[in-house]
Amino acid sequence: MRETLLPLSRGGLMGLALTATVLLAGCMSEGSSTESLYRQNMVSETALNAQIMSDRARDQRCQRDPARRECGPRD
């Protein structure tokens, strides 16, 4: 009788096959999708940086003039 080194049930074998398929598909994706993800990341970072700069500018305006409408309590 021969022993297997990696005993897998049918469900475990299916999960392993699915994982291998996903990893292989990820490795075979085209470079254009990588570029697209890079561009999307850059857009997201730019929007976040713009929001941070806007918040800092509002804080500075409120420090100079606390009576501004944008500095008061929000309803």
Side-chain angles (χ1 to χ4, degrees):
M1 192 172 213
R2 192 170 138 192
E3 291 183 30
T4 60
L5 296 176
L6 185 60
L8 292 174
S9 65
R10 184 174 181 171
L13 188 57
M14 292 296 284
L16 181 62
L18 180 61
T19 302
T21 303
V22 169
L23 290 174
L24 184 60
C27 292
M28 295 179 68
S29 64
E30 295 182 23
S32 62
S33 65
T34 303
E35 291 175 16
S36 175
L37 291 174
Y38 176 75
R39 288 184 191 136
Q40 288 175 353
N41 188 36
M42 290 298 292
V43 168
S44 179
E45 282 186 33
T46 302
L48 179 61
N49 288 338
Q51 183 64 47
I52 290 170
M53 290 184 341
S54 173
D55 290 343
R56 287 179 183 169
R58 182 175 41 255
D59 288 342
Q60 289 174 355
R61 288 191 302 270
C62 289
Q63 285 176 356
R64 285 193 306 266
D65 184 10
R68 293 177 67 94
R69 186 170 33 169
E70 65 181 339
C71 303
R74 299 184 186 256
D75 294 331

